[in-house]
Amino acid sequence: MRQQRKKKRRVPITVPLASMGDIAFLLIIFFMVCSNFTKDNVPIDLPSSHDLEKLAEPPISVMIDAEGQIYFQGAKVPDAQAVEWGVAALLEKRNAGKTDVTPRDRAIKLKCDKAVDKSIFEPVIEAIANGGGVVEAEGLELQ
Amino acid sequence: MPLASFSDLAFLLLIYFIVATTLVQPFGITVDFPAGKKATQQDEQEDAPRINLKDNQVFYKDDLIAGDRATVIDKLNAKLAGLNLAAMEATDPKRVVPLEAAGKVDYDLYLQVMASISAAGGQVGIIQEQ
């Protein structure tokens, strides 16, 4: 007698996909909140050196591009004097009410193209120092 | 209403933000320039270290350091290491190494010299060209 095998009814397995969209949106919100939209969209060829260390990102930035144009917080400025005023004003605003101002609180990021002459960058460095800032000069690490 | 495309859009945006996020940490040096008074005191000392940059050449105590860029920086590092600047007090005026640039000097060389001084434990003091 032939055994009648009972055919097992295959139950379709469904994977609930609705939560995948929720997870994706949560991750998107996480990356959007964590992203820093910097104003560093100026093309600059940085210099390189063996003696550099990792820097944390200070919020105030000064940039000099290959043509010698100076940018303060992403906006063009005419000369180094404007950088000094801007640095002094921003540092005063940022450190107002602080009793112990550390060099980290006065950090100013400087990105300068490696081919810029000293007649352009030296006044900017002096302006940052005169404005009370600590220069964090950015470069590429030489391997 | 088909909702499957919502998750596709979500993943596309997610991939965009993952790719566009900058995870590279910048490298550089931190230089807290001294006030003018310290630099003046340093100039008055005998045998004070002094670095001059002129037309992209490096002079240490008025002696030219010859060679290609890497050799010049290595020789400068050796000279600065001999000064034992890192062992000095943080407020010691002898830690200030005056740096003067004249003629045509690129920022590339300037940063490398500043990085050498900082790595040796010294403090960079800019001398303004009169």
Side-chain angles (χ1 to χ4, degrees), chain A:
Chain A
M1 194 159 99
R2 200 188 280 179
Q3 278 186 331
Q4 286 185 345
R5 289 181 186 173
K6 285 185 183 176
K7 285 185 182 174
K8 286 184 182 176
R9 194 180 167 194
R10 288 177 185 266
V11 177
I13 301 170
T14 55
V15 178
L17 295 175
S19 54
M20 280 181 71
D22 292 337
I23 293 170
F25 278 115
L26 279 169
L27 286 170
I28 285 171
I29 291 165
F30 169 76
F31 277 104
M32 282 175 67
V33 167
C34 292
S35 294
N36 283 325
F37 292 100
T38 63
K39 303 176 183 82
D40 283 1
N41 52 354
V42 179
I44 289 175
D45 196 6
L46 290 172
S48 46
S49 170
H50 284 292
D51 302 310
L52 301 181
E53 53 191 28
K54 283 186 186 176
L55 299 173
E57 284 275 338
I60 303 176
S61 74
V62 177
M63 292 180 285
I64 308 174
D65 65 10
E67 279 80 44
Q69 177 61 54
I70 306 168
Y71 297 81
F72 181 71
Q73 293 290 79
K76 286 184 187 177
V77 293
D79 52 23
Q81 182 67 60
V83 171
E84 182 181 338
W85 292 334
V87 164
L90 275 182
L91 285 179
E92 190 183 336
K93 186 180 169 186
R94 200 207 315 180
N95 298 327
K98 277 187 187 176
T99 50
D100 184 28
V101 178
T102 62
R104 185 78 207 113
D105 295 326
R106 295 159 45 216
I108 310 289
K109 181 173 77 171
L110 174 64
K111 276 178 76 172
C112 178
D113 193 278
K114 63 183 181 182
V116 172
D117 186 53
K118 71 115 183 168
S119 59
I120 297 170
F121 68 74
E122 208 170 57
V124 172
I125 291 174
E126 286 167 26
I128 295 171
N130 291 338
V134 171
V135 175
E136 286 196 356
E138 202 171 302
L140 298 172
E141 197 192 22
L142 266 178
Q143 298 298 327

Side-chain angles (χ1 to χ4, degrees), chain B residues 8 10 17 33 39 105 109 125:
Chain B
D8 289 339
F17 278 107
F33 292 98
V105 177
L109 176 63

Side-chain angles (χ1 to χ4, degrees), chain B residues 25-86:
Chain B
Q25 202 161 9
F27 282 82
I29 55 167
T30 301
V31 185
D32 189 3
F33 292 98
K37 190 178 176 185
K38 274 190 197 170
T40 306
Q41 284 176 350
Q42 183 65 13
D43 286 341
E44 290 169 357
Q45 292 174 12
E46 291 180 3
D47 245 5
R50 186 189 178 97
I51 300 175
N52 294 78
L53 304 178
K54 190 173 185 313
D55 298 326
N56 284 331
Q57 289 182 309
V58 181
F59 294 81
Y60 180 77
K61 292 186 186 177
D62 299 325
D63 293 328
L64 171 68
I65 303 178
D68 61 2
R69 184 64 64 85
T71 309
V72 165
I73 297 298
D74 286 342
K75 287 180 182 175
L76 179 64
N77 285 339
K79 289 180 190 293
L80 290 171
L83 297 174
N84 222 10
L85 298 168

